[in-house]
Amino acid sequence: MSDAATPPVPPAPASNYNPDNITVLEGLEAVRKRPGMYIGDVHDGSGLHHLVWEVVDNSVDEHLAGYCKRIRVTVHFDGSVTVEDDGRGIPTGTHVEHSKKLGRDVSAAELVMTVLHAGGKFDHASYKVSAGLHGVGVSAVNAVSEWLKLEIRREGHVWLQEYRKGAPVTPLALIGDSDRTGTQVTWKPDTDIFTVIEWSYDQLASRLRELTFLNAGLVIDFSDERGEGRSEHYEFAGGIREFIELLNHAKDPIHPAVISFTAEAPTDLGASVVVDCALQWNSTYGEQIFAYTNNVHNKDGGTHLTGLRSALTRTLNTYGTAQNLLKDVKAGLLGEDVREGLTAVISVKHPDPSFDSQTKSKLVSSEVKGIVETGVSEKLSRFFEENPAVARKILEKAVLAAKGREAARKAREVVRKGQNDITTLSGKLSDCQEKDPAKCEIYVVEGDSAGGSAKQGRDRRFQAILPLRGKILNVERVRLDRMLGSEQIGTLITALGCGLADPEDRKETEVVDGVQSGKRVSTFDTSKLRYHRIILMTDADVDGSHIRTLLLTFFYRQLPELIENGYLYIAQPPLYRVRKGKKDLYMKDDAALDRHLLENAVEGIAVDASKGPALAGDQLIVLAKRMKQQREILGKLDARCDARVVAAAVRGAMLGRDDLRDATRAEEKAKATRAFLEERWPDFKPLDVVAQKDAEHGYRLVAQLRPGATSRATVLDWALVDGAEYQQVLSIEEDTRSIWPGPYRVRVPGSAEPVVIADAEALGAYLDERGRKGIVISRYKGLGEMNAEELWSTTMDPDGRTLLQVKDEDISGRTDELFSVLMGENVELRRAFIEQNALNVRNLDI
């Protein structure tokens, strides 16, 4: 080949990897850049709720140290959260060493809030045991928050500091005096980091209740200001023993008293590991074991759970053999036999525990397994010797469980033979064409009527339909062999194709620090599942709700892995049918209905204000929504104080939080509030609005309507004015002032003269009334009321439907308790539940 034919060698690409490409993330910037490393997933809600656990854990640590008795947790309507305790308060003095590094005075409180791995829990001097040992907790919360307010009561003073996205806005400031102590942290998660800010009331309530069980003497008050508002008070003197009693109260314990004991063993550090354990067996067929380390729930277990399970199996086999109680079980008791019907809590207090991650989901401290195993074996063996009658009942329960394995094995064989034979479902299952489970979904539909519409409306490429006739068996009340004999349940299992996990197939092996030890690991194989979206679609009436509950009971008790893996969903048919003339529209929820009513209200009209341009269309909708929100918030505040006074403080005085810090400004705002009240509600005369001294925060406004009457005074203090509700009312007022004041003239099509509206409140009422004119709204109930096209567009079309994913976010047994109450044998508990919750029903089908 000649030189001319040789292709030129391309030059090497210029390297763009040089020293400038090395990035150092300073301070909390690393947390904002990679939040999942510190708080967990920011998309599925786990990371969001972890923020509360980090802040609450600090307060609980104060309780463990002997300084905190009460914690208050409040979820505000705007998604912000407040955690307040009566502990010692974070130190406020200057941190000398860190101040030298930065060249400015830095308080210890600011250090805790802004520097990773800064805290008082590393040397075991301030805290012997602690849930927060990594030192990234509250600083990580600060880093991922849109804003955070820190208020400290300590040494007779009140200190305040505010942050924006982890950075301090001002230095820690002394703002008042107080004879109380404690720390209050209020923050709002940053929507730049979290996809959705939606707090789960049940998840928060379960964890807070759990903490009071684990810490006898601790009091926690939990309030949720969203919606209609809910609150709970937790205080349990009995500790984990009372926890077990509550978990089993809807079941039938086989021995009346909870078995509880404490064991302690020293560590290499010189401090001790304390193990608290409580046990009680009941007549059910499942098990509940909750594992904790330093008050943190370890959802994936760990060495303490391994030690407990090993000790239980060994102790019951040893005692049963010695007492000749296992003659009918030749191979001895398996772990599943021993734990059938067991409810247990194992709580470890460790001075320096090791976890698998910052979220502390699994304890990996190797020495704990031996400590727990030895302690539980000794204490439980002694209990059996001292209480032979109770021991015999427990052994008899375990022996029956061992005998039941054979019947369950035979029933499973029947299911296994049919689970891959889809031809047996001819005429029942309308399968889809797609064979990839990840792309397939199955609708489990109530009855043939809805099933017919679903079959006609579906996309047969990837959507399968399985209609079930009537109500399936309540699996809460039957043994496994009878459940597997149910035709409907057999049909459902066969359609899914995954069968049921068999306890006999589960191996008890786990490697911890290179040592093989016992832990139950489920071998449930989801690869055989034929659909990765299992959608329950039932009517929105009583029968439909009952069928859905029966199905949920089946999945929760027998196929929990499908819930854990996110395969189970509930279809969300529209809540409302709106009829205008001969045309029907379906609204999926209250927000959609409100939007439709607003659109109907503003259709064709224009509003002329005294200031600003004429408003119509989307601009008018935005204004109307904001005004309605303001009215709703004022209505909520009316339960705490007179909303008319709040409205006067906002509209007449534009009272802000900082106005309460200055005597002159507070007096001026009090006069303006009084003037507005006298003008807007002249019947209030005489009235009195004054600025009073508030030691902790400067001043507060106190309004007394009709002095001497029975009406109590309304107090506008720092807590109210700085609160989310008041701030939102103030923000809306600032937005709507561009069209102030009235009157407003509404130009209506077909009307020669405009409608004159006196003020903003009257304008809102006018739009509400006009929005409902000519419309009939009915609560939608039956899927069968829709034709195939309507069912597809509202409930089955992936581009337009809403699916509710079923998750088990419970960490303290509330879900199990609810299923036991609603679906179990105890009629009295179910009746009490209905009586307690009857007034909370929103949509009653009668």
Side-chain angles (χ1 to χ4, degrees), residues 496 498-501 524 554-563:
L496 298 179
C498 60
L500 294 177
F524 183 76
F554 165 72
F555 282 103
Y556 179 75
R557 292 301 188 197
Q558 299 300 328
L559 292 172
E561 293 89 346
L562 298 186
I563 297 176

Side-chain angles (χ1 to χ4, degrees), residues 627 631 757 759-771:
M627 292 166 60
R631 293 197 302 274
I757 308 294
D759 51 38
E761 289 183 4
L763 177 61
Y766 172 81
L767 291 175
D768 283 347
E769 182 181 353
R770 192 172 192 275

